[in-house]
């Protein structure tokens, strides 16, 4: 497994261990991790700290020339909010753990030139499907349908 | 001036008084303010707390049936990240102070059924144009082009 993707999965598991929704993300530039994060809805009562947003926030203020060379790893297909953040900062490449449990705005991202690589990682699929089965209401809230 | 739009302008001015980028936002449901916020890039070193995101975060966890009846007021046309958040939570109506200094993703929002009302408020235009003239680099960073 790609070492950066492995870190994103570790973030998802960390979130789960905190009682949170298990999605993790890592922002990488030139083989260096700039930021890691995981969904913080339940831990912080946050409606904006999806994993990708948390990773971006933890990376801090960066310049366009850095963002434009970054890859964002995420265990789950990015929703429209996170896709918007990816587009805002012109991150050119997104590595997605899976889109079986939720398919976000991959087409919007692609239409604007973002390269997407969906791994369909069995561990990611299982972590998320187990969580959704056990916590359907919380999951629906997180994706804005409850 | 609409009392909720006035609150959004007050949030922008509050941000400016804190040394921040002067954009403000208010989330309203059924004539009740659920959350107010302003851009917090400089105050908190945040790359995700644009005004609209701050207002949503300060409103806290809400259900779809509430979001779907909300109006979001913002002093400046929402960027793609904030537009993504608006779409994620299915907020049906956005009142925009102005889009002269920056035009965000109004077309994307409209294409997905969000109603947009752009006021072209002279005070909003002046606050933002004065700020951009005095702080071009910070402004460019905030919109992801520097």
């Amino acid at each position: 497994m790609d070492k950066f993707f492995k870190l994103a999965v570790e973030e998802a598991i960390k979130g789960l261990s905190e009682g949170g929704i298990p999605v993790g993300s890592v922002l990488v530039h030139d083989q260096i991790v700039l930021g890691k994060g995981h969904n913080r809805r339940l831990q912080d009562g946050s409606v904006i700290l999806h994993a990708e947003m948390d990773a971006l926030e933890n990376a801090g203020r960066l310049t366009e020339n850095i963002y434009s060379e970054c890859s964002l790893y995420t265990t789950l297909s990015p929703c429209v909010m996170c896709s918007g953040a990816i587009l805002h900062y012109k991150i050119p490449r997104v590595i997605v753990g899976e889109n079986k449990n939720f398919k976000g705005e991959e087409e919007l991202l692609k239409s604007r030139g973002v390269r997407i690589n969906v791994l369909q990682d069995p561990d990611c699929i299982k972590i998320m499907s187990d969580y959704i089965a056990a916590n359907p209401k919380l999951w629906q809230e997180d994706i804005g349908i409850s």
Side-chain angles (χ1 to χ4, degrees), chain A:
Chain A
M1 187 189 284
D2 177 297
K3 66 179 177 181
F4 299 119
F5 179 65
K6 188 162 179 281
L7 286 176
V9 176
E10 286 173 8
E11 281 292 317
I13 293 168
K14 188 175 173 186
L16 188 64
S17 74
E18 294 168 358
I21 299 170
V23 185
S25 181
V26 178
L27 183 71
V28 176
H29 178 261
D30 199 14
Q31 300 297 306
I32 305 282
V33 173
L34 299 186
K36 300 189 290 183
H38 51 269
N39 187 300
R40 306 197 63 81
R41 175 173 295 270
L42 305 181
Q43 299 92 319
D44 296 353
S46 175
V47 304
I48 62 172
L49 286 172
H50 276 186
E52 300 91 325
M53 307 294 281
D54 195 38
L56 288 168
E57 187 72 331
N58 289 335
R61 291 168 58 187
L62 303 170
T63 55
E64 183 183 17
N65 66 325
I66 299 294
Y67 283 123
S68 69
E69 295 173 343
C70 279
S71 295
L72 185 72
Y73 292 75
T74 176
T75 57
L76 186 65
S77 183
C79 79
V80 67
M81 174 174 68
C82 297
S83 296
I86 290 162
L87 292 174
H88 185 64
Y89 289 114
K90 302 185 187 68
I91 296 167
R93 182 166 175 251
V94 180
I95 298 91
V96 174
E98 60 113 347
N99 64 11
K100 297 286 188 190
N101 286 294
F102 176 78
K103 187 169 183 185
E105 293 282 339
E106 294 171 22
E107 298 312 315
L108 176 65
L109 290 168
K110 283 182 196 167
S111 76
R112 299 197 181 191
V114 179
R115 284 174 292 144
I116 312 270
N117 184 16
V118 182
L119 304 178
Q120 304 298 21
D121 177 77
D123 289 342
C124 281
I125 294 170
K126 182 167 178 10
I127 291 168
M128 204 68 233
S129 61
D130 286 354
Y131 186 85
I132 293 169
N135 305 276
K137 282 281 180 197
L138 289 172
W139 170 243
Q140 286 168 6
E141 180 192 318
D142 198 53
I143 57 172
I145 59 169
S146 169

